[in-house]
Amino acid sequence: MNIRIFSSFRRCSILRRRAAAGAFIVCLLMTGCRRQEFSIDVSLPAEIWGNYHISYYASDGKGGLWINTTIPLEQGHFTLKGASRTSSPLYIRDDRQNEAMFFISPGDKLALTGDDANPTGWSATGNEISEQLVEYRKSGESIENFVKSNPDSPVSSLLLLTSFPRRENPAGFVELWNCLGKKARRLEMAGIVGTPDIGANSPFLLDKEGTARLRGSAAKVTAIAFCSTNGWSDTLRTNGRPTLIYFYERSGEERYLEATDSIRRLAKAFPDSAKRNLAMFSFQSDSLSWKSQIRQDSLKKITHAWVPLGQADKRMQALGVPSSPWFIVIDGKGIQQYRGDDPAKAAASFRRLAEKKK
């Protein structure tokens, strides 16, 4: 009985969402001009049947919403008509979770064809960016190589915004993004895609030219408040001391062991803690687990800090910590000398600073 009640509720909820999306499109069609309309036509072999889940962003100039709908494919064919004042990525997913991104603009008549049901292998005509996305998928090229070879392509901007692992490789994203030329339309594409981690109060900041930098990367760091192992608030002060801070979330992993081994060697090479700072900021939610790990690691003369909110902590946001693991190396004047996830590079940067203090 409970299952039937839940299923009925879910069907009603889905119907309401579809009705709202449908009403939005009808409103666009009634109030706008024909140039806002677009169509998507899929033609596959007649023996292919199934459902396809389609998502795109529709805007009326004052606002918009993501349209999520399911279209039945019958005898290898379906047609979808929509409307929007702005362009949008178009995601098509089959029932086996194979998903492909295309691109749609007002006025387009996008035709998609293929030999099988998997949309990742389909071809496209009717939108130049969609056609280039198809070529990219068929090439099997990495995003990094494609962007470097095509710095003036809007597809490069789209791939960096939608498919590049920014959280795992924030420095790599910034480097590739800043290589893009004017024809890549990077500011326009950032606005169209609307990713939440790019823009004001986000890890990645864009200036008026579209150049990216990591939030906090230009900030001078002289003091950082934190929660110590005894549960009291404390402050890590960088004035006059070279400082290495390691931000981490999970212990016991290979990268964690590599980082702690590197910090242990630095502590041994520069034993006078009055002349340097070596700090580990834990993003673990459980303080007991954190303290247990500290005892197991037996790292001496190291500052241990607990930040249970992780990257959501306002102090971490101000520092621009985009992911974990992450390192920041700061000189005695509070100027950041290294930011990244490479333990070896962080250690080398710290050693250069610490050697000068000897």
Side-chain angles (χ1 to χ4, degrees):
M1 179 59 117
N2 289 337
I3 293 175
R4 285 197 292 272
I5 290 173
F6 176 78
S7 297
S8 298
F9 176 80
R10 186 172 182 273
R11 283 198 297 272
C12 290
S13 177
I14 291 172
L15 287 172
R16 284 196 295 270
R17 289 199 301 270
R18 288 182 180 173
F24 185 84
I25 294 301
V26 169
C27 180
L28 271 173
L29 292 171
M30 292 178 64
T31 60
C33 64
R34 288 283 179 181
R35 285 179 295 178
Q36 295 176 13
E37 299 179 38
F38 61 82
S39 65
I40 304 163
D41 185 85
V42 176
S43 295
L44 306 176
E47 64 271 16
I48 298 177
W49 294 64
N51 292 320
Y52 285 85
H53 311 280
I54 298 178
S55 300
Y56 64 92
Y57 188 79
S59 168
D60 64 355
K62 297 179 181 178
L65 53 79
W66 275 95
I67 304 297
N68 299 290
T69 187
T70 300
I71 301 294
L73 183 85
E74 299 178 352
Q75 293 184 325
H77 185 266
F78 76 69
T79 298
L80 173 68
K81 293 186 181 295
S84 178
R85 289 194 177 187
T86 59
S87 301
S88 171
L90 172 74
Y91 298 95
I92 300 181
R93 187 179 77 254
D94 65 15
D95 284 334
R96 294 186 176 183
Q97 304 304 309
N98 298 306
E99 183 176 78
M101 180 177 67
F102 299 92
F103 197 76
I104 196 77
S105 296
D108 283 350
K109 293 182 179 180
L110 183 65
L112 304 175
T113 58
D115 297 325
D116 58 37
N118 188 339
T120 62
W122 293 354
S123 296
T125 58
N127 179 282
E128 186 177 355
I129 293 178
S130 284
E131 294 168 10
Q132 292 173 0
L133 282 167
V134 168
E135 292 177 6
Y136 163 74
R137 280 194 289 273
K138 290 182 177 180
S139 72
E141 194 173 10
S142 69
I143 295 176
E144 182 178 6
N145 287 340
F146 182 88
V147 171
K148 289 180 177 179
S149 301
N150 301 274
D152 283 317
S153 171
V155 174
S156 293
S157 296
L158 272 176
L159 292 174
L160 287 174
L161 290 165
T162 61
S163 304
F164 189 84
R166 288 189 297 278
R167 180 182 174 86
E168 293 78 11
N169 187 9
F173 169 79
V174 170
E175 180 182 357
L176 289 171
W177 182 264
N178 290 338
C179 287
L180 297 176
K182 291 184 178 180
K183 293 182 180 179
R185 297 154 54 187
R186 56 187 185 182
L187 270 179
E188 178 188 348
M189 290 300 171
I192 288 172
V193 174
T195 51
D197 61 346
I198 295 178
N201 300 318
S202 302
F204 300 95
L205 302 177
L206 300 182
D207 65 18
K208 63 181 181 180
E209 302 297 328
T211 302
R213 69 174 176 86
L214 282 169
R215 179 179 173 82
S217 59
K220 191 173 183 179
V221 183
T222 57
I224 308 169
F226 65 90
C227 180
S228 64
T229 52
N230 60 16
W232 295 95
S233 294
D234 204 342
T235 303
L236 178 70
R237 302 188 185 280
T238 64
N239 51 313
R241 303 176 184 178
T243 298
L244 179 147
I245 308 174
Y246 170 49
F247 305 89
Y248 67 98
E249 184 172 359
R250 297 179 181 88
S251 59
E253 296 180 352
E254 182 178 348
R255 297 184 73 187
Y256 173 84
L257 296 175
E258 181 185 358
T260 52
D261 284 345
S262 177
I263 293 171
R264 185 178 286 106
R265 289 192 294 270
L266 290 174
K268 186 176 180 179
F270 306 98
D272 189 352
S273 58
K275 294 182 178 180
R276 53 82 177 153
N277 290 319
L278 292 172
M280 295 175 61
F281 278 57
S282 171
F283 291 170
Q284 291 172 277
S285 58
D286 183 359
S287 62
L288 293 177
S289 175
W290 166 58
K291 291 179 182 179
S292 174
Q293 187 64 47
I294 291 173
R295 288 191 293 270
Q296 292 176 27
D297 289 340
S298 66
L299 287 164
K300 302 293 178 68
K301 297 183 179 180
I302 302 294
T303 298
H304 291 280
W306 183 45
V307 189
L309 292 179
Q311 291 149 254
D313 188 286
K314 289 183 178 180
R315 293 164 297 179
M316 300 303 102
Q317 291 179 353
L319 282 171
V321 180
S323 61
S324 63
W326 191 252
F327 293 88
I328 297 180
V329 176
I330 308 161
D331 67 16
K333 296 180 180 179
I335 299 172
Q336 299 180 50
Q337 300 294 324
Y338 175 78
R339 295 171 58 88
D341 60 0
D342 190 321
K345 291 181 179 179
S349 177
F350 177 83
R351 280 181 180 276
R352 285 193 293 271
L353 297 173
E355 289 288 351
K356 294 179 182 178
K357 287 288 293 183
K358 278 188 173 182

